[in-house]
Amino acid sequence: MKLGVSPDIVPSRGHEAKRVSIMDAASEVFCRESFAGANIDMIAAEAGVSRQTIYNHHGDKEKLFVAIVRDLTERCNAGIFATISTFPDQPKDLEADLIAFAVRMNRNCICNRDGKFLRKLIQTEGERYPELFAEWREQGPGRTWPAIAARFARLAHAGFLDIDDPDVAARQFMALANAELQTTFMLGGTPDEDEVLQSATHGVRTFLRAFGKRQPAANASKQGALANA
Amino acid sequence: MKLGVSPDIVPSRGHEAKRVSIMDAASEVFCRESFAGANIDMIAAEAGVSRQTIYNHHGDKEKLFVAIVRDLTERCNAGIFATISTFPDQPKDLEADLIAFAVRMNRNCICNRDGKFLRKLIQTEGERYPELFAEWREQGPGRTWPAIAARFARLAHAGFLDIDDPDVAARQFMALANAELQTTFMLGGTPDEDEVLQSATHGVRTFLRAFGKRQPAANASKQGALANA
DNA sequence: ACAAATTTAGACACTCTTGTCCAATTCGTC
DNA sequence: GACGAATTGGACAAGAGTGTCTAAATTTGT
């Protein structure tokens, strides 16, 4: 039997476990060493698998790389859409709810393992695989940004925000939410929970100073509170 | 003499000219291929120089790489400080002046060749040269962010802006100014003049909605009035 | 327990790259 | 034009990495 995608037959647990283990190790190594710097023996060692097994599963180094980027893209997209679905459409406390959303977005989509790896692989190897990353672009940013923008548009329409261009606002929201994490990202670090909360809090406050209604649509009981910083 | 690829302008003569030519080609190639993926022959060809000359000048591949990062860091810092010195301390038209500043910052420091290369090299190889990039961090972000923050603090003190934390505001200003360039950056592209202007304009508008005084008066005689307005 | 599928370790040929050495040539300068 | 320094191209050894092949060991399903 030839190897390859066999939709009917589930090979086995051990087999599948090795596949996952290889993918994990490979993304780790490709990410750390770049495509050219990574070598199959490293990946095999880190996966606890023999070199030959990697060739059995994936053919060659380049196919392995492509499989990994596809896999990461898919998982990251899933995470992003799952997080978008928690967007506060009917916020009780707009600021708190948006901060919580920003934290979720950062923690689950930007700072997590997959997000970090995908981002780095795109930056590092993007130019060498134009068609692969064009695919990522369509499936990823091409679909997630409109989805986020739509949520902000809805929130504005419901009277919670004063937004001209939801697309711009969405980008600015995300930019503000991780404005303070950029230097950490640069060096491949992972911001801790506090940094994420800090950045999200400051970012959302600024966002609301720019786009918040003067008087919260729901109850305008005490307007003096929001002047405070 | 056989001429190879001479992409640069005038093959102006001299030892020093070769040095520059090597540095240019090497940063280009290291950036495009990553450290491990780059090879000396590529660099030599792109520099229009023999391989041996590179070894004569720089000893080995790693020394060449370090020299390049140092060089880029220095030049980028110079550019950033030069641009910071054009910060509008006494703006006539606050919005227009800040937009122009944001455009300068993006065009001269972020989107230009040196900025792009340095950013990519840091992201790609940062983890492998901790001491080198610690140096960058001190000389670069460690000095430029406070300088930018100081300018915003001064602007706020002069009554043009309403800022609590100048450090946060500085980071948010930059984040907003290139919020719309992120996807382009991801793939190593260079935003064109229009995109830069767009992003800067939208970013500064939002920034001013958040931090601008309601009344752009230069006289801060009635500063208490706007808190409740 | 048996048979098929899978994994393993090691050897292997092949290619690519680094860094060195050297003789011939060219360049900069006087 | 001549001299010394720099550059060149080519050959070279050493090392590393890819991908293939094999026979033996292990795992898996029945």
Side-chain angles (χ1 to χ4, degrees):
Chain A
M1 165 186 168
K2 288 279 181 192
L3 84 158
V5 197
S6 46
D8 296 341
I9 301 167
V10 177
S12 72
R13 256 209 306 277
H15 183 76
E16 209 51 37
K18 300 239 181 238
R19 172 169 244 106
V20 171
S21 162
I22 290 169
M23 299 284 276
D24 280 357
S27 40
E28 188 94 30
V29 174
F30 277 137
C31 189
R32 191 175 64 233
E33 311 283 345
S34 85
F35 180 81
N39 70 343
I40 303 287
D41 293 292
M42 259 186 233
I43 297 173
E46 201 148 321
V49 153
S50 83
R51 180 172 64 241
Q52 185 58 42
T53 300
I54 294 181
Y55 285 106
N56 288 343
H57 277 258
H58 291 98
D60 67 18
K61 192 180 173 183
E62 186 158 326
K63 288 202 192 72
L64 173 59
F65 179 77
V66 170
I68 282 173
V69 173
R70 288 235 166 81
D71 188 60
L72 283 176
T73 302
E74 215 168 299
R75 263 214 304 275
C76 279
N77 270 356
I80 293 174
F81 278 110
T83 304
I84 290 177
S85 77
T86 71
F87 187 89
D89 286 315
Q90 266 118 35
K92 293 220 155 176
D93 177 338
L94 185 57
E95 180 176 304
D97 291 352
L98 281 179
I99 289 172
F101 175 73
V103 167
R104 282 195 296 277
M105 210 66 181
N106 267 330
R107 179 161 19 76
N108 302 335
C109 308
I110 315 280
C111 298
N112 71 344
R113 200 191 104 113
D114 291 345
K116 193 177 138 188
F117 284 2
L118 183 57
R119 195 160 3 105
K120 183 148 180 191
L121 290 182
I122 287 167
Q123 288 167 343
T124 307
E125 317 289 347
E127 293 170 87
R128 200 177 298 98
Y129 297 86
E131 77 301 337
L132 177 58
F133 290 93
E135 190 185 313
W136 161 79
R137 198 176 168 147
E138 284 167 32
Q139 299 302 312
R143 299 197 306 142
T144 54
W145 281 120
I148 300 175
R151 294 307 188 108
F152 277 107
R154 202 186 302 182
L155 211 49
H157 188 257
F160 292 99
L161 293 173
D162 182 15
I163 288 175
D164 300 320
D165 183 334
D167 291 293
V168 169
R171 283 172 200 280
Q172 293 183 336
F173 178 85
M174 292 303 298
L176 285 169
N178 50 45
E180 294 169 36
L181 309 178
Q182 292 307 318
T183 309
T184 303
F185 283 155
M186 270 277 186
L187 289 160
T190 303
D192 61 39
E193 201 66 19
D194 268 359
E195 287 177 83
V196 171
L197 181 59
Q198 265 310 62
S199 187
T201 302
H202 293 155
V204 168
R205 291 222 179 108
T206 295
F207 185 82
L208 288 180
R209 281 176 71 151
F211 298 112
K213 293 276 193 186
R214 188 88 6 99
Q215 319 212 345
N219 353 347
S221 53
K222 32 189 157 190
Q223 61 189 21
L226 58 94
N228 176 7
Chain B
M1 163 185 171
K2 178 170 72 168
L3 72 145
V5 197
S6 54
D8 287 326
I9 321 109
V10 182
S12 49
R13 60 189 165 281
H15 181 79
E16 211 50 37
K18 302 242 179 231
R19 171 168 245 105
V20 171
S21 165
I22 291 170
M23 298 285 276
D24 280 357
S27 39
E28 189 95 29
V29 174
F30 277 137
C31 189
R32 189 174 67 234
E33 311 283 346
S34 85
F35 180 82
N39 70 346
I40 302 288
D41 292 294
M42 261 186 229
I43 298 173
E46 201 147 322
V49 153
S50 84
R51 181 173 63 239
Q52 185 58 42
T53 300
I54 294 182
Y55 284 107
N56 288 344
H57 277 256
H58 291 98
D60 67 19
K61 192 180 174 184
E62 186 158 325
K63 287 201 192 73
L64 173 59
F65 179 77
V66 171
I68 282 172
V69 174
R70 289 236 165 81
D71 187 61
L72 283 176
T73 302
E74 213 168 301
R75 263 214 304 273
C76 280
N77 270 355
I80 293 174
F81 278 109
T83 304
I84 290 177
S85 77
T86 70
F87 187 90
D89 286 315
Q90 266 118 35
K92 293 219 153 176
D93 178 337
L94 185 57
E95 180 176 304
D97 291 352
L98 280 180
I99 289 172
F101 175 73
V103 167
R104 282 194 297 276
M105 209 65 180
N106 268 330
R107 180 161 20 77
N108 301 335
C109 307
I110 315 281
C111 298
N112 70 344
R113 201 191 103 112
D114 291 343
K116 193 176 139 189
F117 284 1
L118 182 57
R119 195 160 4 105
K120 183 148 180 193
L121 290 181
I122 287 166
Q123 288 167 342
T124 307
E125 317 290 346
E127 293 170 86
R128 200 179 296 100
Y129 297 86
E131 77 301 337
L132 178 59
F133 289 94
E135 190 185 313
W136 161 78
R137 199 175 169 150
E138 284 167 31
Q139 298 303 311
R143 300 197 306 142
T144 54
W145 282 120
I148 300 174
R151 294 307 189 109
F152 277 107
R154 202 185 302 182
L155 210 50
H157 188 258
F160 291 100
L161 294 172
D162 182 16
I163 289 175
D164 300 319
D165 184 333
D167 291 293
V168 170
R171 282 172 202 279
Q172 293 184 335
F173 178 84
M174 291 305 298
L176 286 169
N178 51 45
E180 293 169 39
L181 309 177
Q182 293 306 318
T183 308
T184 304
F185 283 154
M186 270 278 187
L187 288 161
T190 302
D192 61 40
E193 201 67 18
D194 267 0
E195 288 177 81
V196 170
L197 180 59
Q198 269 302 66
S199 186
T201 302
H202 293 154
V204 167
R205 290 221 179 107
T206 296
F207 184 81
L208 288 180
R209 280 176 72 152
F211 297 112
K213 294 276 190 183
R214 191 103 341 117
Q215 318 206 349
N219 308 348
S221 55
K222 42 203 168 181
Q223 65 184 37
L226 50 92
N228 297 351

